[in-house]
Amino acid sequence: MSSNSTLASTQNAGFGSFVYLCRDTASYPFCNLFWRQLSKANFTLPDPLRAPVGITPRCGIPRAGGGRFGNIANVTMCAVSIIFIVYLSQRINRRRAAVGRIEIRALFIMYAITLLLEALTSGGIFSQGSLPLLILTAIHAGAVAAFFWALLANALVATQFVEDGTPSALLPFYGFAVIIFLVTTYIATDTAFSFTSLFKSTPPRDLRNIALFILLNIWPAATVVLYTVIMSWIIVRILGEKLPLLYYLGALFLLVGGQFIFVFLGTPICQGSNKFIDSSFLATLLNTASMGVLFLAWKSITESDWEDQVFIV
């Protein structure tokens, strides 16, 4: 095996590179997709049975086994968060007369699915480069991209240009979610298994995939900004309210704070805990808290006549 063991610098890799995220962000699951590309290029990689999540991170939590528990903190946080989100989904289901009830419940269910996939892809459960891990990571990528479409779609539904809960609203809501999920999952799968050369990183050490980078980083950021702008306009210009706006801004603050901690504080936390925990569990906590505040925001601007009755769609 050659001595090729160093990732490209962030500056040299260029736009679309995952180098920084894979090197400096602990437990970033989508780096799993580049493992086989590097392996085929004789890039020096750690033992797959012991390697942490990602591609040679500065600090990574070792895989579960041999006295190690993997990323147990984030797996536990994901499990607790799923229970919380299911509870909120049931609360949403009680508000039969509320605008956008079906759409926002779908958003929360999709978030719960991403939590389950996150636990599986970043928990140190599967060995690096293994078939189950790569397939689950590709599905995880698709679920994340589809979730952010659902977030934006909820803002569009709130404008009431199309009546919520009707086929004219639900068909594009679910239709685009499926399309985005399938496209992203295919790109992630092709990246992982190199069925074609279209999504190969050239050279492999650059970890460069512009399409995947846009779908997993630019697209989520853009939808969050658009969602916040649209909901702020609805609350201020149409409803003339102030408290709901504070809720939405609070949800935004928690989400941004969670991503900041995840991206920039992962390595210091990992090193300080002797590779026992990293920033991923804090990010999951804040992201889930953001969803909780989002529920309060939605509740504050919708009708509540049916709050104590349970209805199943």
Side-chain angles (χ1 to χ4, degrees):
M1 183 173 291
S2 70
S3 60
N4 183 17
S5 61
T6 305
L7 296 176
S9 66
T10 304
Q11 295 82 359
N12 293 337
F15 177 76
S17 172
F18 286 79
V19 165
Y20 178 84
L21 291 169
C22 294
R23 184 189 60 203
D24 294 287
T25 302
S27 297
Y28 186 74
F30 305 117
C31 298
N32 299 336
L33 299 170
F34 294 95
W35 182 274
R36 290 196 178 185
Q37 287 192 36
L38 292 171
S39 179
K40 291 178 181 178
N42 291 326
F43 191 91
T44 303
L45 295 167
D47 181 358
L49 296 178
R50 299 181 180 180
V53 175
I55 304 295
T56 61
R58 293 188 188 277
C59 183
I61 299 174
R63 181 171 173 257
R68 303 292 303 197
F69 298 97
N71 196 353
I72 187 65
N74 195 40
V75 170
T76 302
M77 186 58 65
C78 285
V80 173
S81 296
I82 289 172
I83 295 172
F84 177 62
I85 293 300
V86 169
Y87 165 73
L88 291 182
S89 297
Q90 291 302 311
R91 290 286 304 277
I92 291 170
N93 201 49
R94 298 190 183 107
R95 302 176 64 81
R96 189 185 184 192
V99 173
R101 177 177 64 98
I102 296 175
E103 292 83 357
I104 197 167
R105 189 181 65 176
L107 176 71
F108 275 69
I109 292 173
M110 292 171 71
Y111 177 66
I113 292 172
T114 66
L115 287 171
L116 174 61
L117 291 167
E118 180 182 342
L120 295 173
T121 59
S122 67
I125 300 171
F126 302 99
S127 61
Q128 268 295 357
S130 65
L131 182 64
L133 180 62
L134 295 180
I135 291 176
L136 287 169
T137 303
I139 295 173
H140 187 190
V144 167
F147 166 79
F148 282 100
W149 154 252
L151 179 69
L152 177 59
N154 267 269
L156 298 177
V157 167
T159 64
Q160 287 292 280
F161 289 140
V162 177
E163 186 177 356
D164 64 286
T166 62
S168 57
L170 295 178
L171 285 177
F173 180 90
Y174 290 115
F176 280 111
V178 170
I179 291 171
I180 292 171
F181 170 78
L182 292 176
V183 169
T184 306
T185 301
Y186 169 74
I187 293 173
T189 303
D190 199 351
T191 302
F193 296 103
S194 300
F195 298 130
T196 71
S197 60
L198 187 60
F199 300 107
K200 281 186 177 180
S201 176
T202 306
R205 65 195 295 267
D206 284 357
L207 304 184
R208 191 164 180 260
N209 187 322
I210 294 176
L212 200 61
F213 187 86
I214 290 173
L215 287 166
L216 295 178
N217 295 285
I218 307 301
W219 165 248
T223 58
V224 168
V225 171
L226 288 172
Y227 178 86
T228 304
V229 169
I230 293 171
M231 294 308 301
S232 298
W233 174 75
I234 292 173
I235 293 167
V236 175
R237 298 297 299 272
I238 297 179
L239 300 180
E241 299 284 347
K242 293 182 179 179
L243 180 61
L245 181 60
L246 294 178
Y247 281 132
Y248 281 107
L249 293 178
L252 176 64
F253 176 80
L254 289 170
L255 178 63
V256 173
Q259 293 308 300
F260 179 87
I261 291 173
F262 178 53
V263 172
F264 296 107
L265 299 184
T267 297
I269 293 174
C270 177
Q271 292 172 338
S273 66
N274 194 27
K275 300 182 180 181
F276 184 72
I277 61 173
D278 57 32
S279 61
S280 58
F281 85 98
L282 291 174
T284 300
L285 172 63
L286 292 176
N287 291 343
T288 302
S290 176
M291 294 296 291
V293 177
L294 188 66
F295 166 77
L296 294 176
W298 173 80
K299 180 182 175 182
S300 69
I301 63 172
T302 54
E303 300 175 25
S304 57
D305 297 338
W306 303 87
E307 176 68 26
D308 296 324
Q309 300 185 41
V310 178
F311 296 84
I312 303 298
V313 176

